[in-house]
Structures are given as C-alpha cells and as structure tokens.
Amino acid sequence: MAQLQTKVQPKPVPRSQLDVRKIAGACGAEILGIDLSVAPDAETVAALRQAFLDHQVIFFRDQDLTPVQFLQMAKLFGQPIEYPFVTGLDGFPEIIQVAKLEHEKSNFGGIWHADTTYLERPPMGTMLIARELPPYGGDTLFANQYMAYEALSDGMKALLDGLVAINSSAKADVTKTREDRIKDSGSKEAGKTYLSEHPAVRTHPETGRKALYVNVAHTVAFKGMTEEESAPILNFLFQHQVKPEFTCRFVWRPGSIAFWDNRCVQHNPVNDYHGFRRIMHRITLAGDTPR
C-alpha cells in the first residue's frame, strides 16, 4: 500500500522581513505589504525604524487610517508634538491639516526646508498622510543631506564644521506659505517669532553620520557674521543641497503615507495644481537638540 504523504504547511514569513523597495538612488523607499491599521509587532517596528534610518524617508500605500490609528502609528516611533503656528484637528491637537484649497495660490510649506529648525529642539521626524488629492501634481520632493554634505570639498567641510547657523521662523518666503492656514486655523502663537542656533553640520544621533543642517526657508545667517557676509556661503549651500542627484520624488495617492527623518532630509511640496484641493494630515515627532 502506498505510503500516505503528509502535506507540509509553509512557514509564515516573519512580519519583520519587510518588502522594502528603493524609489531613487539618493533616498526614499516604499514599504509594501503592511497594514498599519493593525498594530505591528516589536520586530516589525524595529525593522521599519531601520528602514527609516537607512533610506531617510519611507512610504506606505493604501493606508485607510482614522486619526486615532494615525496617532497610534506615530507613537510607535516617537512622541507626537504640536505645531506652533496652526491648531490641530478637534480632539487631536498633534495632528494638523496641511491644505491648499481651490482658490488658493500658495501651498503650505511650499519651499525647500527641514521642519521647524527655528526651534531649540526641532522634530526628529514627520509623518504625512494623504486625504484628498488633485487629479495631477502635488508631488513631494525629498533631498538627502548626508549626500549633500559628503559631496562638498574638504575645504568647505572644514569651514562649515565650525559654523553655527541662526534660524528664524520669520523669513518672508516661508511665512507667506503659512498665511492661508493661519487665517482659518492659526494658534495663539501664530504671531510669535522663533529663533534658534544650530550647527551648520549636525551629527545624526542614531547613525553618527554628518548632514548639512541649513535650509533656505529658515536659515538667515551664521553666528558671528552679518547676513551680508553669510549670504554667499548660504546661497551656494541652498542650491547645492537640493541638486537632483540628492533627491527623490514621491507621487501621492489617497491613503499614502510619507515618514521622513527631519535630521538629515529636506522636503519641498510642489505647487503645480492651482484650482484643485489637496488635503493632508501631519504629525511631527519630538526631536533632540542638534549637535
């Protein structure tokens, strides 16, 4: 009599073995096959954190998260904090609405920047989820500031390693991108000016790598120099640090999430969809004092 064959059940793939796919050479990776509405296990959270550090910005697709679920997800990676200029959603002060409406011409944060570097402790990272999108446009660009620093000459690195950058929340090109949201949801602090001093080159507290830490939206001068003296160096850096070869571009779909490392990445939402609505929800996570 033929011996009965025992069917061997395949072993489940550990959840921590993520499907991580780079979207560009410089930075950015999509994480496939994960449902963030279900709390991931500790191994998966650790793997996501490593992907975040390895690729500087990670993306998820088709995540239908409520504000509660979005906030729970964010808390897996850090402490959500409130944004100083715009009030949060009702019941969720840590979640702000990033919107451009059909009649508006400026988009919120529509300039290359790292988030709120004018604070003493800028955010570690930022999470953005797409709620409503235009039929075209509205992509976001990201720029790897490790690569921007590493591409500099030894002489420029030596100069920058000793400089401290002065950052302000009141630079005109960025304040105008907040005007529409301050009109409809401005906080009590909306009229306040924040100033900070941070190294022009910071060392990432988790990876130990050096990254350029100036940006055109917030950096006004170097400490010990006038704005006029600082301008030639800063203007060079502002153009250098967003060269195409340091960047990736993300095309949003409803339910897409981007999670970027504010310590080594800049971003720029492209304002190319006048006449259409774009609604996103954003959470920022507490960071450290740059060193």
Side-chain angles (χ1 to χ4, degrees):
M1 190 168 92
Q3 188 174 4
L4 292 175
Q5 296 291 322
T6 303
K7 187 175 182 180
V8 178
Q9 296 294 330
K11 293 182 180 180
V13 177
R15 295 178 69 188
S16 59
Q17 293 183 7
L18 300 176
D19 187 356
V20 180
R21 302 187 186 183
K22 295 184 67 169
I23 70 166
C27 59
E30 285 195 14
I31 312 295
L32 305 182
I34 185 168
D35 179 1
L36 295 172
S37 68
V38 179
D41 60 24
E43 279 188 299
T44 301
V45 173
L48 290 171
R49 182 75 176 205
Q50 191 59 54
F52 169 75
L53 295 174
D54 290 344
H55 300 285
Q56 295 82 57
V57 53
I58 54 177
F59 308 102
F60 307 88
R61 296 290 192 185
D62 305 318
Q63 304 295 323
D64 185 19
L65 303 186
T66 66
V68 169
Q69 292 169 329
F70 188 35
L71 196 58
Q72 288 173 339
M73 176 211 168
K75 288 179 179 178
L76 295 172
F77 300 97
Q79 178 58 50
I81 56 175
E82 296 182 32
Y83 178 68
F85 293 114
V86 176
T87 58
L89 304 181
D90 288 345
F92 301 95
E94 305 95 339
I95 304 177
I96 68 165
Q97 180 165 282
V98 175
K100 182 188 174 192
L101 305 181
E102 293 88 340
H103 63 281
E104 295 172 349
K105 296 301 182 185
S106 295
N107 63 330
F108 187 86
I111 187 172
W112 278 108
H113 66 289
D115 286 329
T116 58
T117 58
Y118 44 77
L119 299 178
E120 182 182 351
R121 294 168 62 91
M124 172 273 285
T126 303
M127 292 183 176
L128 197 65
I129 185 169
R131 299 301 194 189
E132 297 181 48
L133 294 171
Y136 55 79
D139 301 349
T140 301
L141 307 173
F142 297 88
N144 183 334
Q145 296 308 292
Y146 293 141
M147 293 183 71
Y149 173 74
E150 291 162 1
L152 294 171
S153 67
D154 290 342
M156 181 59 77
K157 288 177 183 175
L159 171 64
L160 294 176
D161 281 346
L163 292 180
V164 172
I166 300 170
N167 299 277
S168 171
S169 63
K171 284 189 77 172
D173 284 347
V174 72
T175 56
K176 70 181 182 182
T177 74
R178 296 193 291 255
E179 288 176 353
D180 290 320
R181 297 292 68 79
I182 287 176
K183 287 176 185 176
D184 61 32
S185 53
S187 72
K188 294 179 181 178
E189 302 291 316
K192 183 175 179 179
T193 296
Y194 293 86
L195 292 171
S196 71
E197 295 182 359
H198 297 312
V201 177
R202 73 172 294 177
T203 300
H204 195 288
E206 294 185 76
T207 67
R209 296 177 68 183
K210 289 185 175 182
L212 269 181
Y213 203 62
V214 297
N215 69 92
V216 69
H218 304 313
T219 306
V220 294
F222 293 113
K223 188 176 182 180
M225 295 187 191
T226 65
E227 290 190 25
E228 290 78 10
E229 291 168 336
S230 304
I233 304 171
L234 286 175
N235 289 338
F236 163 74
L237 294 174
F238 295 156
Q239 295 179 57
H240 166 79
Q241 64 191 168
V242 296
K243 286 181 176 178
E245 58 265 37
F246 304 149
T247 69
C248 71
R249 185 180 188 120
F250 186 61
V251 180
W252 295 91
R253 299 198 300 255
S256 296
I257 293 176
F259 176 26
W260 63 88
D261 192 331
N262 200 56
R263 302 164 293 187
C264 59
V265 164
Q266 290 191 32
H267 62 284
N268 183 9
V270 181
N271 188 18
D272 60 348
Y273 52 97
H274 295 325
F276 297 102
R277 175 187 297 256
R278 182 179 184 269
I279 306 292
M280 323 288 274
H281 287 169
R282 190 182 89 172
I283 296 174
T284 51
L285 301 174
D288 63 334
T289 302
R291 304 293 183 195

